[in-house]
Amino acid sequence: MRAFTYERATDPVAAARIVAAKPGAKFIAGGTNLLDLMKIEVETPTHLVDVQDLDLDKIEATPDGGLRIGALVSNTDLAADERVRRDYAVLTRALVAGASGQLRNKASTAGNLLQRTRCPYFYDVNMPCNKRKPGSGCAAIGGYSRQLGVIGVSDKCIATFPGDMPVALRLLDAVVETVDPQGQRRSIPIADFHRLWGDRPEQDTVLNRGELITAVTLPAPLGGKHFYEKVRDRASYAFALVSVAAVIQPDGTGRVAFGGVAPKPWRVEEAEALLPQGAAAVTARAFQGATPTKDNAFKLPLATRALASVIAQAKA
């Protein structure tokens, strides 16, 4: 790990201003992803701004019947909140499916949104990676790609977004709240928060330099039955090969989002209208235009089977 300087922030705008002004500066909260990447020199920040002292750790009701989740609410506290368990059960299920209890105790809401890919070539500093070093190439293209993306990728990068919680947030139409170094606040629909790779795979999100996540807002509850089906290589502490977040209503209609398949949580609203026709109809539309490799083509039928399992559970 390379040497770096460190300070603790006491105000969100001040924290944003410091990171914007200092080249190589980054925010840190729980550090469950950033510190790992620093140890292997994938991330090499010169200055860390610790935001853990900021008053961003509350879960509060909103006037329209939703919830406002502070950026520093831990995954454990969010999953255990009575209102989340009752009204947004898909979120609790997604959170509990991720990592381990110890990591969930430290991992924050904002940090979960900002996870970097787990592509093995991104983690190997001896291999070319456009996300790690723009313009160096993508070793995953033509390499081992079993865990990587099948849709929304580009000829510059085929990595996936690895998280579970944001897949549920995409299903729920969450909104990400931020503040910038000038104190300007904005609200970003979760659908627009993560970028497709295109020609700039090093840019994971639409955040500007120094922009700090302050909260995530959930709209009023959807009702229905909530599911989070995660298919992985082992039963715990593993990232999804394919995950399915779903809310199914009594009449068979609902919403569906997929994880482990794209650079962002993957939801195609037009495909949801096909839910009464079955899983195959939904996934055929949701993955229209998919470009899998020979190593990960299995993800497409796997997504269909995972969704079929969810639909069967909803009817039980």
Side-chain angles (χ1 to χ4, degrees):
M1 184 183 287
R2 299 186 187 183
F4 58 90
T5 52
Y6 169 91
E7 67 181 293
R8 298 181 79 98
T10 57
D11 174 78
V13 176
R17 192 174 296 127
I18 294 167
V19 169
K22 291 192 175 186
K26 284 187 173 290
F27 301 114
I28 187 169
T32 56
N33 188 200
L34 178 59
L35 290 176
D36 283 346
L37 293 174
M38 289 173 65
K39 290 173 185 177
I40 58 176
E41 297 191 357
V42 170
E43 293 275 12
T44 56
T46 57
H47 186 71
L48 292 182
V49 179
D50 193 331
V51 297
Q52 291 183 87
D53 291 341
L54 303 183
D55 186 25
L56 301 174
D57 60 352
K58 306 291 191 306
I59 304 175
E60 302 168 310
T62 62
D64 63 355
L67 287 179
R68 186 174 187 271
I69 303 160
L72 296 177
V73 173
S74 74
N75 288 182
T76 295
D77 288 345
L78 182 57
D81 186 89
E82 180 181 355
R83 295 161 293 184
V84 175
R85 293 173 62 190
R86 181 187 65 234
D87 297 328
Y88 305 96
V90 64
L91 181 53
T92 288
R93 293 179 179 186
L95 286 162
V96 172
S100 65
Q102 293 94 330
L103 285 171
R104 291 195 296 270
N105 288 341
K106 287 295 294 179
S108 66
T109 296
N112 215 297
L113 286 166
L114 297 173
Q115 286 185 82
R116 309 287 327 258
T117 184
R118 263 57 178 194
C119 174
Y121 298 102
F122 174 72
Y123 270 70
D124 186 347
V125 295
N126 296 307
M127 300 298 291
C129 172
N130 286 321
K131 289 188 69 59
R132 184 170 20 83
K133 186 178 179 182
S136 64
C138 176
I141 297 175
Y144 183 68
S145 54
R146 181 172 182 270
Q147 290 187 308
L148 303 181
V150 297
I151 196 163
V153 296
S154 76
D155 60 359
K156 299 292 191 296
C157 181
I158 59 171
T160 57
F161 177 78
D164 294 297
M165 183 193 80
V167 182
L169 293 179
R170 177 67 182 91
L171 186 81
L172 297 168
D173 283 333
V175 174
V176 181
E177 298 180 8
T178 69
V179 66
D180 71 11
Q182 289 72 47
Q184 298 296 312
R185 299 182 182 275
R186 68 168 171 157
S187 297
I188 308 168
I190 188 71
D192 302 327
F193 183 76
H194 295 99
R195 298 179 69 255
L196 297 179
W197 298 147
D199 292 331
R200 301 296 300 274
E202 73 278 10
Q203 297 180 355
D204 292 348
T205 73
V206 298
L207 293 179
N208 298 314
R209 177 72 185 163
E211 193 170 8
L212 176 68
I213 297 173
T214 55
V216 173
T217 302
L218 301 178
L222 294 172
K225 293 183 178 180
H226 291 218
F227 302 90
Y228 190 76
E229 189 89 359
K230 182 175 181 179
V231 185
R232 44 190 163 175
D233 284 326
R234 57 182 186 273
S236 65
Y237 201 58
F239 296 97
L241 292 169
V242 170
S243 65
V244 178
V247 171
I248 310 292
Q249 302 296 341
D251 63 359
T253 61
R255 297 184 181 183
V256 180
F258 298 90
V261 294
K264 61 194 297 183
W266 195 253
R267 180 180 170 205
V268 177
E269 282 85 343
E270 294 87 347
E272 295 170 346
L274 304 175
L275 264 171
Q277 299 179 33
V282 174
T283 55
R285 177 63 186 87
F287 293 99
Q288 186 177 336
T291 55
T293 69
K294 62 181 178 59
D295 293 329
N296 66 21
F298 72 93
K299 287 192 175 191
L300 298 175
L302 184 60
T304 300
R305 291 195 291 270
L307 178 56
S309 173
V310 166
I311 293 171
Q313 292 174 63
K315 292 178 179 178

